[in-house]
Structures are given as structure tokens and as C-alpha cells.
Amino acid sequence: MAHVKWKLAVVSAILTTVVQAGLDIPPAFKEPPSDEVDAVNPLIGNGGDSPNGSGGMVPSTAPPFAMTRWTAQTDQNYVSVTPYNYTHTSIHGFQGTHQPAIWMGESGQVVVSPGLGTVKPAFEDRGLDIVYDGNERMEAVSANYYSVLTQTTEADGGGVLKTEMSATSRVGHLRFTFPANASSPYIFLEATRPCTLGSPASPTGTWLTYPSGLVNIDPVSQEICGRNPERQDEILGPSPAPSFAGYFCARFNTSFSAYGVVQNGTTSEGVVSGEGPVLGAYAAFEGARVVDVRVGVSFISVDQARRNLEKEIPDGTSLEETSKATRELWVEKLGRVKAEGASADEMATFYTGIFHTLQYPYEQDEDGMYYSGYDDSVHEGDSYTGYSNWDTYRAEWAWLILLAPERVPGMVRSMLQDYVEGGWLPMWKNIVETNIMVATHADSLVAEAVVKNITGFDLDTAYAAVYKDATVPPVDDWTISYYDREEGVGYEVRAGLSSVYDETGWVANDIHSESASRTLDYAYDDWAVAALADFLGHTENASFFRARSQSAPFTIFNNDTGFMEARDANGSWAGQDQGWTEGDMWAYTFDVIQDVPRLVEHRGGNTSFVAFLDEHFDGGHNDHTNEPSHHIPYLYALAGAASKGQERIREVAAANYNSTVDGLSGNEDCGQMSAWYIFSALGFYPVDPVSATYVVGTPFYDKVTISFPDASQPLVISAPGAPTKPYVKSLTVNGEALSQPIITHQQIANGGEIVFEMSDTPQEWASATLY
Ligand SMILES: *[C@@H]1O[C@H](CO)[C@@H](O)[C@H](O)[C@H]1NC(C)=O
Ligand SMILES: *[C@@H]1O[C@H](CO)[C@@H](O)[C@H](O)[C@H]1NC(C)=O
Ligand SMILES: *[C@@H]1O[C@H](CO)[C@@H](O)[C@H](O)[C@H]1NC(C)=O
Ligand SMILES: *[C@@H]1O[C@H](CO)[C@@H](O)[C@H](O)[C@H]1NC(C)=O
Ligand SMILES: *[C@@H]1O[C@H](CO)[C@@H](O)[C@H](O)[C@H]1NC(C)=O
Ligand SMILES: *[C@@H]1O[C@H](CO)[C@@H](O)[C@H](O)[C@H]1NC(C)=O
Ligand SMILES: *[C@@H]1O[C@H](CO)[C@@H](O)[C@H](O)[C@H]1NC(C)=O
Ligand SMILES: *[C@@H]1O[C@H](CO)[C@@H](O)[C@H](O)[C@H]1NC(C)=O
Ligand SMILES: *[C@@H]1O[C@H](CO)[C@@H](O)[C@H](O)[C@H]1NC(C)=O
Ligand SMILES: *[C@@H]1O[C@H](CO)[C@@H](O)[C@H](O)[C@H]1NC(C)=O
Ligand SMILES: *[C@H]1O[C@@H](CO)[C@H](O)[C@@H](O)[C@@H]1NC(C)=O
């Protein structure tokens, strides 16, 4: 693949790092678009697409945690299909997307599609091939700016059309440069399309609806505005959110030479409004060469979309200015971290990873108000959506607490609002609850924020919410299995809770889906509730939930096999392949993060446990492409075999991450995949998030400096020689030598100094089991 160097203005030392990070990532545009448009590292790489449909992140342009991300559209996106796929080389428009992850549905999107000649509203007809110069793809991708050259068809003159794009949180800014002397250039806005939950070719594609949209054209103010109520997840979860819609208001800087509404393929020129399915509108710009358009979006109203536009990108703002402002927002965040001694590939992987971790949850509030799908009304306050808690409670959330603590109070408040408005904390919130995955890991998110001293939300509401998760089963708990994406059911929360603790200690496999994983995950969530109860001084509650969290996992530990196994209500073992959520008995037998000593004891002590870990890795059972395996290499250190763990961590990093478009072995899952890499590169990982401690692994680079927004000093992690020396010989934190492989959050939250002494041979440090 061609690696094209970018010419970038380096404005500060911090920026140097940020810029370096992306220098080598394809695909890059042949010429930088202009000197004014600096791109924060191209950042496409890593997970943009993979042959196995993993990665799942699209190369999108928008600020951190933006409400809408803008991406070129190569595909109609559905659950399991993203709007951009690097292997598809025809662009069918530019989409303001709210699809937070490949396995989730899109909602309320708008598409802007330029063309020449007869207006082509249908997805299949809109495609324009990306221009190649030899093998070089004429496409530039970065966090704050995107640009592509596309070829118009012979029939339309055959010239090259250039699209450039940047965005603020709620406004896309696009600029189209039509071929010189092009006849009849136009820009089409798609409000609605046929909607399916799965791709039309897939079995679920039979679920096909025609959301009814709205468009209004105002040639005087040069606006096309409208509404799109599409929400692909609408058949999932308990909240129908009947008045949900994405609203948009596009304002063009060029007067319309013609305009019209397109409905179900039929163009009505001169008509200024339309309502219904398969709907769009266009404006033509005869004689114009360069057209600038800003597209405000909203979940509240068209008027609010227009207000967002005027507030975030006022009239007269150039694309260069929008791009620069968004670049500064990324530089402010990425610039908090400075890595030294990493290879170019590692730098790109590391910074692309940070870019990925700072996208979700995403902002859902506008001007201090937000639409809530839980009660279908507009409230005051801040709000976020896109909570993939089954994934992100592991390390992504800990990373947000460390790197972007200023965001965390709002994200917690948002979850508490969901509880107040819908009755429960979110499991997988994609506008509203989708019931996707299992367990109530919001308990962990809330408790971790509290024990790490994040403030700015109501603690009594927080405790009431997690206490409800731990004590109130879903309705019809004995009769609904809550299989993956089960339709027509209420809040799933801790399905099986009634059988678990009231009866046996485990979730019964003959009653509930994913029973063994549920048993283990609910036990960890109890541990989180106990942590919050402790913090609040609810001592008796704390003891109760802690005891439950430590006993429940071992009710499914089969003494005869040494593995966790699902059980039926009558106590029979249900079979070793039964009851797992995206994993198997290998990964899940290690899933007692709240009480590793007891797990070790059940597996016969440290030596035997380390041998079991070896069997797990050597036998090819560690599947880092999915989350249940993420903490496992760190368990070596907790069993007195730190140096062995260090080898495994380096192997996992090398085998699952690089800076190409296929650079993530598994789904990014709203940042969790990259959060593993980032923490591992720093040299520690939050195995038990609510303990406010990290388990030491092996730092990858010579030095990493992290500047926290409110700390008086940075956190400096030094590990001279780490790139070639994977083993830790000694460790000091703020001058104090540590003999245990544990760093507390308290030790690092306000900055300080971590010094690793590294070695190229296995060391005795924290490795008593081996020596
Ligand atoms: C991208 O397209 C390729 C080829 O059609 C396909 O195999 C792959 O699954 C797609 N990837 C995604 C993430 O949809
Ligand atoms: C566009 O048209 C003008 C006037 O006919 C002509 O002089 C010019 O060369 C054309 N430009 C291109 C790029 O074709
Ligand atoms: C619209 O904006 C583009 C890009 O800034 C500019 O080239 C063009 O002249 C503008 N058009 C009008 C009519 O102002
Ligand atoms: C769209 O047009 C096609 C072809 O005329 C027709 O079969 C279909 O029913 C129409 N769909 C809607 C939603 O109007
Ligand atoms: C546990 O917490 C709940 C909810 O706050 C409270 O109602 C209950 O009395 C507490 N129980 C004990 C034993 O503290
Ligand atoms: C496994 O053995 C322990 C110790 O003998 C015992 O307490 C426990 O109940 C056994 N577990 C099961 C699931 O039978
Ligand atoms: C326990 O229940 C399972 C599933 O309902 C059934 O297949 C099995 O035969 C039962 N075992 C006993 C010992 O009753
Ligand atoms: C197992 O190893 C851990 C970590 O080194 C240590 O804390 C623990 O005491 C060991 N257990 C035994 C029984 O030696
Ligand atoms: C992708 O799929 C192929 C074929 O199923 C498999 O051999 C390969 O290991 C997978 N790669 C990744 C990175 O998951
Ligand atoms: C939280 O703040 C308290 C009071 O300042 C302090 O004692 C404690 O160590 C802090 N906890 C963490 C995890 O930083
Ligand atoms: C990253 O590198 C490319 C090119 O060498 C490989 O094709 C990918 O498989 C690899 N991805 C991962 C996750 O290792």
C-alpha cells in the first residue's frame, strides 16, 4: 500500500507527536488540500475495515464525542454494515451518521450527494468512482478533514469532482468543487430511504419499513431542511420513542438555479416541500464551480438544527476555519499524551487508538436541552448516547476517567437521567435501550467514577439506580429467556436474577439465554454495587453484595472439570458449550476479576493456575478479538508470574494491532479494543475497574507523558529500553519501590512519576511463583 507523506505545519512540540503519529497511514491524498487545512493524523488505519468485518470504525470527521460524525458513504449502512468500507471504491454521498458501532443500527442520519445532470436520488445511481493516480487513492482522511476526488460519468461530462468535509459536533461542513464548465451541477439531500435492521440480503433484511420524512426548500434563504425518523433498532428494547427523528437544516452559500423534491424516484422540479417515504430534495447551481454547504443536525427540531448551524458554524465561516477549530479540539485531547520511543507503526496505532476511544458515548444534547427517547420528550440538561457498557466497562471507561475526566460527570448524569426517565440504567443505549449484550455494567461505570473521586452527579440517585439493578429482576423473569436481540420484551437488565440469588446462586440455563456468562457478570456487578455502598457508608448493603459477588461465581465452577459451566435450574450441568456470551468456557473460567485469589485457589493454587493460563494461551484459546479475553494476560501477575504475563501481553499486542486499515483484529466496540492497547502500552491495565487499582504489565515505549486537565503535574511513565526489553526488573511510583504488581489510581490521578527498569530476560520481580 502506498505510504504518502503529508506536508504539515508543526506548530508545537506536542503537535509534533500528534502529527508524526499519522504520517505513514494510508490512504492519503496526493496533494495536501491546502496549507490552511492541517490534518490531525490521518487516523484512518486501525479498524477502518477488516476482511472479517471486524474493526467496524469508519474514517469519520468530527470533534471528540461529536453528536454526528461525517463519513463518505460507500454502502447503505445497516446492522453489521458500516456506511464506509475501504474495499468499496465508489462514493454514493456523504453521510452524517449516528451509527455508533457496526452491530448497532443507524438513526436519524442525513446524506448529502453531489452530482451533475439529471438528479440521481437512488443509492445505486449516485455512485462516483474514487480517482486513482496509479495505485494512489485520491482520498485524504483525518480526524478534522476529509477530502476525495471522484470521477463523474462520461454522460455527465467526465470531469473530476472534489469533495471536502469537516464538522463540528452538530454541523457538517462540506465543499464541492465541480468539474470546470460542468453542466447542471446539483446537490441532493436524502431525508429518508427504505430501512431495514439487517442488510437486505440477510435474513433479517425482511424487516423492511419506509420511514416517513419531511423536506422543505427555501430558495431565498438557500436552505433545504427536513426530518428523518429512521431508527434501525426500533424493534429492539422497551422504548418505542415514537417521535424520535433526526432533523437537518442545510444552508448553501450559492443561490439555486433550480430546485425540487424527489419522492420515491420521481423528481418534481419547483416543488418546495414533501412528506413521505423515500424522500429527498435538491438544489442546482448552474454556472457555479465551488459550492459550500453547512448541515446542522438535531434530535429536537428543524429550528434547533438551524440554531445549531448558526451557533457552531456561523455564516461566512470557511471550511478551513471549521477544520482548524476541530483540529484544535483533537490536538487539545491527543496532545495530553506524548509517547516517545515508539516505532512509526506503534505511534500510529497508539494515537489512532486514542482517536477511537474519544468518540463514544456521544453528545445528544443541544443548547442545554436533549430529546429523551425513554419518555419521548425534551428535557433540560446534558445528555449522551452510544453506551456499549458490556465492552466499555473493562478499560475504555477507565481511560476516559484518566484522560478526559471533564466528560465523565456529564456521561454519568446522562445514565442517571435514563434511569429516572426509563426506570433503569442503560445496558446498550443507542438513543434508547436496545437490550444488546448482557449484565448491568452501568453499575461498574457509576461505581468506578465515584471511587475515583469524580463528582458532579447525585449520589443517592446513583445508589438507588445500581441497587435496583442488583435487586429487581425484569418483568416475567421466569418466562422470558432474553436471547440476543429478542423482540417485544421489556428491559432485560439482570434477566434470571430471580432464579439466581433467591433460589440457587446461578442463572438457570434452561430458563435464560447466556446463563453462565450472566452468572459471572452479575457477580461482578454486585461487586461494583458493594464498592459504591462502601463509599456511601451503606456498610450492611456492602457486605451483602460483596459476599454474593464472591460466592455466586463458584456455584457454576465444576470441580470435576475445573471449568465454569452453565447449570440448569435443577442443578444439572448443562454442557460445556452452553450459556456463553461471545466467548467460551476458557475465557469465562478466568472471569472472576473481583476475586482472583479465590479463583486461583479453585484452580489449585498459583503454580497450577499459571499452568492453566499457559494451557489457555498455548492451546490457542485466548481470543483477543472479543472482550472476554481482554484481562486474561494480566492474571499472570496476580498469580506471581509477572514476567510470563509480560511476554503474553507483548504477543497479544503484536498479533492484534497495527496501523493499517486491517489494524484491529476485532471490533473496536466503542473504544474498548483500543483502550486495551493504550493501557497496555502505558504498562498497566484496570483488571478490576471498581477497585481503583491497575495491574502492572509491560510498558511498550521508552517514555509516555500524560497531562491531566486539573493536575498540578503530568504523569511521566519512564521505561528506558522498553521497545526491545519486555520484562520488568523493578518499579517505582513517585519514588517508592513497589514489589507487588499493583498501581493505585490514587498514586497517579494527580500526576507523578512511574519508573520501570526494563530487561530483555525474564525477571524475578512479582514473579515469585516461578522462582
Ligand atoms: C467490506 O467489503 C468487503 C468486500 O465486499 C466485505 O467482505 C467486508 O465484510 C466489508 N466490511 C465491512 C466492515 O462491512
Ligand atoms: C471552460 O469554458 C471556457 C469558455 O468556453 C473555456 O475558455 C475554458 O477553457 C473552459 N475550461 C475548461 C477547463 O474546460
Ligand atoms: C461559496 O463558497 C466557495 C468556497 O468558499 C466559494 O469559492 C464560492 O465563491 C462561494 N460562492 C458564493 C456565491 O459566494
Ligand atoms: C415506490 O415506487 C415503486 C415503483 O413505482 C412502487 O412499487 C412502490 O410501492 C413505491 N413505494 C412507496 C413507499 O411509495
Ligand atoms: C440497602 O440499601 C437499600 C437502598 O438504599 C436500603 O433500602 C436498605 O435499607 C439497605 N439495607 C441495609 C441492610 O443497609
Ligand atoms: C466444589 O468443591 C468445593 C470444595 O469441596 C465445594 O465447597 C463446592 O460446593 C463444590 N462445588 C460444586 C459446584 O459442587
Ligand atoms: C435437569 O433439567 C434438565 C433441563 O430441564 C433436564 O434435561 C435434566 O434431565 C434434568 N436433570 C435431572 C437430574 O432431573
Ligand atoms: C499467589 O501469588 C500472589 C501474587 O504474587 C500472591 O499475592 C499470593 O500470596 C500467592 N499465593 C500463594 C498461596 O502463595
Ligand atoms: C478472518 O477470517 C478468516 C477466515 O474465517 C480467519 O482465518 C482469520 O483468522 C480471520 N482473521 C481475523 C483477524 O480474525
Ligand atoms: C479521593 O479523594 C480522597 C479525599 O481527597 C482521597 O483520600 C482518596 O485517596 C481519593 N481516591 C482516589 C482513588 O484517588
Ligand atoms: C495488520 O497488517 C496487515 C498488513 O501486514 C495485515 O494484513 C493485517 O492482518 C494486520 N492486522 C492485524 C490485526 O494484525
Side-chain angles (χ1 to χ4, degrees), residues 275-288:
E275 194 161 5
V278 202
L279 183 72
Y282 72 95
F285 306 95
E286 201 63 67

PDB file of all heavy atoms in Angstrom, residues 275-288:
ATOM      1  N   GLU A 275     -43.487  15.234   1.929  1.00  0.00           N
ATOM      2  CA  GLU A 275     -43.570  14.425   3.131  1.00  0.00           C
ATOM      3  C   GLU A 275     -43.830  12.999   2.699  1.00  0.00           C
ATOM      4  O   GLU A 275     -44.604  12.772   1.773  1.00  0.00           O
ATOM      5  CB  GLU A 275     -44.728  14.937   4.014  1.00  0.00           C
ATOM      6  CG  GLU A 275     -44.674  14.388   5.407  1.00  0.00           C
ATOM      7  CD  GLU A 275     -45.507  15.206   6.393  1.00  0.00           C
ATOM      8  OE1 GLU A 275     -46.200  16.148   5.958  1.00  0.00           O
ATOM      9  OE2 GLU A 275     -45.448  14.890   7.592  1.00  0.00           O
ATOM     10  N   GLY A 276     -43.170  12.051   3.337  1.00  0.00           N
ATOM     11  CA  GLY A 276     -43.425  10.658   2.983  1.00  0.00           C
ATOM     12  C   GLY A 276     -42.146   9.849   2.962  1.00  0.00           C
ATOM     13  O   GLY A 276     -41.077  10.315   3.362  1.00  0.00           O
ATOM     14  N   PRO A 277     -42.266   8.598   2.464  1.00  0.00           N
ATOM     15  CA  PRO A 277     -41.098   7.727   2.420  1.00  0.00           C
ATOM     16  C   PRO A 277     -40.204   8.008   1.209  1.00  0.00           C
ATOM     17  O   PRO A 277     -40.635   8.675   0.267  1.00  0.00           O
ATOM     18  CB  PRO A 277     -41.718   6.333   2.332  1.00  0.00           C
ATOM     19  CG  PRO A 277     -43.029   6.547   1.661  1.00  0.00           C
ATOM     20  CD  PRO A 277     -43.488   7.932   2.026  1.00  0.00           C
ATOM     21  N   VAL A 278     -39.003   7.474   1.239  1.00  0.00           N
ATOM     22  CA  VAL A 278     -38.021   7.549   0.137  1.00  0.00           C
ATOM     23  C   VAL A 278     -37.992   8.970  -0.432  1.00  0.00           C
ATOM     24  O   VAL A 278     -38.334   9.213  -1.585  1.00  0.00           O
ATOM     25  CB  VAL A 278     -38.336   6.504  -0.967  1.00  0.00           C
ATOM     26  CG1 VAL A 278     -37.075   6.201  -1.783  1.00  0.00           C
ATOM     27  CG2 VAL A 278     -38.858   5.205  -0.369  1.00  0.00           C
ATOM     28  N   LEU A 279     -37.573   9.881   0.419  1.00  0.00           N
ATOM     29  CA  LEU A 279     -37.760  11.305   0.153  1.00  0.00           C
ATOM     30  C   LEU A 279     -36.439  12.061   0.179  1.00  0.00           C
ATOM     31  O   LEU A 279     -35.570  11.778   0.993  1.00  0.00           O
ATOM     32  CB  LEU A 279     -38.684  11.875   1.236  1.00  0.00           C
ATOM     33  CG  LEU A 279     -39.074  13.341   1.125  1.00  0.00           C
ATOM     34  CD1 LEU A 279     -40.049  13.538  -0.031  1.00  0.00           C
ATOM     35  CD2 LEU A 279     -39.728  13.798   2.435  1.00  0.00           C
ATOM     36  N   GLY A 280     -36.325  13.019  -0.724  1.00  0.00           N
ATOM     37  CA  GLY A 280     -35.171  13.898  -0.703  1.00  0.00           C
ATOM     38  C   GLY A 280     -35.489  15.192  -1.416  1.00  0.00           C
ATOM     39  O   GLY A 280     -36.610  15.399  -1.900  1.00  0.00           O
ATOM     40  N   ALA A 281     -34.514  16.082  -1.467  1.00  0.00           N
ATOM     41  CA  ALA A 281     -34.689  17.351  -2.170  1.00  0.00           C
ATOM     42  C   ALA A 281     -33.338  17.754  -2.743  1.00  0.00           C
ATOM     43  O   ALA A 281     -32.303  17.283  -2.271  1.00  0.00           O
ATOM     44  CB  ALA A 281     -35.205  18.424  -1.220  1.00  0.00           C
ATOM     45  N   TYR A 282     -33.381  18.607  -3.772  1.00  0.00           N
ATOM     46  CA  TYR A 282     -32.111  19.012  -4.385  1.00  0.00           C
ATOM     47  C   TYR A 282     -32.143  20.497  -4.718  1.00  0.00           C
ATOM     48  O   TYR A 282     -33.206  21.115  -4.831  1.00  0.00           O
ATOM     49  CB  TYR A 282     -31.831  18.201  -5.656  1.00  0.00           C
ATOM     50  CG  TYR A 282     -32.743  18.582  -6.805  1.00  0.00           C
ATOM     51  CD1 TYR A 282     -32.350  19.520  -7.767  1.00  0.00           C
ATOM     52  CD2 TYR A 282     -34.019  18.040  -6.905  1.00  0.00           C
ATOM     53  CE1 TYR A 282     -33.207  19.909  -8.790  1.00  0.00           C
ATOM     54  CE2 TYR A 282     -34.880  18.405  -7.913  1.00  0.00           C
ATOM     55  CZ  TYR A 282     -34.473  19.341  -8.862  1.00  0.00           C
ATOM     56  OH  TYR A 282     -35.333  19.722  -9.851  1.00  0.00           O
ATOM     57  N   ALA A 283     -30.946  21.018  -4.895  1.00  0.00           N
ATOM     58  CA  ALA A 283     -30.796  22.360  -5.444  1.00  0.00           C
ATOM     59  C   ALA A 283     -29.737  22.270  -6.531  1.00  0.00           C
ATOM     60  O   ALA A 283     -28.764  21.512  -6.391  1.00  0.00           O
ATOM     61  CB  ALA A 283     -30.361  23.330  -4.358  1.00  0.00           C
ATOM     62  N   ALA A 284     -29.928  23.005  -7.628  1.00  0.00           N
ATOM     63  CA  ALA A 284     -28.952  23.007  -8.717  1.00  0.00           C
ATOM     64  C   ALA A 284     -28.225  24.347  -8.723  1.00  0.00           C
ATOM     65  O   ALA A 284     -28.745  25.354  -8.231  1.00  0.00           O
ATOM     66  CB  ALA A 284     -29.649  22.762 -10.052  1.00  0.00           C
ATOM     67  N   PHE A 285     -27.013  24.345  -9.274  1.00  0.00           N
ATOM     68  CA  PHE A 285     -26.142  25.532  -9.190  1.00  0.00           C
ATOM     69  C   PHE A 285     -25.494  25.801 -10.545  1.00  0.00           C
ATOM     70  O   PHE A 285     -24.276  25.750 -10.676  1.00  0.00           O
ATOM     71  CB  PHE A 285     -25.080  25.316  -8.107  1.00  0.00           C
ATOM     72  CG  PHE A 285     -25.663  24.958  -6.773  1.00  0.00           C
ATOM     73  CD1 PHE A 285     -25.796  23.631  -6.378  1.00  0.00           C
ATOM     74  CD2 PHE A 285     -26.105  25.951  -5.916  1.00  0.00           C
ATOM     75  CE1 PHE A 285     -26.341  23.308  -5.155  1.00  0.00           C
ATOM     76  CE2 PHE A 285     -26.664  25.632  -4.682  1.00  0.00           C
ATOM     77  CZ  PHE A 285     -26.784  24.305  -4.300  1.00  0.00           C
ATOM     78  N   GLU A 286     -26.325  26.023 -11.547  1.00  0.00           N
ATOM     79  CA  GLU A 286     -25.807  26.253 -12.901  1.00  0.00           C
ATOM     80  C   GLU A 286     -24.802  27.396 -12.874  1.00  0.00           C
ATOM     81  O   GLU A 286     -25.067  28.455 -12.306  1.00  0.00           O
ATOM     82  CB  GLU A 286     -26.977  26.591 -13.838  1.00  0.00           C
ATOM     83  CG  GLU A 286     -26.680  26.368 -15.301  1.00  0.00           C
ATOM     84  CD  GLU A 286     -26.388  24.894 -15.627  1.00  0.00           C
ATOM     85  OE1 GLU A 286     -27.305  24.048 -15.519  1.00  0.00           O
ATOM     86  OE2 GLU A 286     -25.228  24.593 -15.974  1.00  0.00           O
ATOM     87  N   GLY A 287     -23.646  27.132 -13.451  1.00  0.00           N
ATOM     88  CA  GLY A 287     -22.636  28.185 -13.566  1.00  0.00           C
ATOM     89  C   GLY A 287     -21.703  28.290 -12.370  1.00  0.00           C
ATOM     90  O   GLY A 287     -20.682  28.966 -12.437  1.00  0.00           O
ATOM     91  N   ALA A 288     -22.041  27.617 -11.278  1.00  0.00           N
ATOM     92  CA  ALA A 288     -21.164  27.696 -10.103  1.00  0.00           C
ATOM     93  C   ALA A 288     -20.090  26.616 -10.183  1.00  0.00           C
ATOM     94  O   ALA A 288     -20.305  25.557 -10.754  1.00  0.00           O
ATOM     95  CB  ALA A 288     -21.970  27.515  -8.827  1.00  0.00           C
TER      96      ALA A 288
END
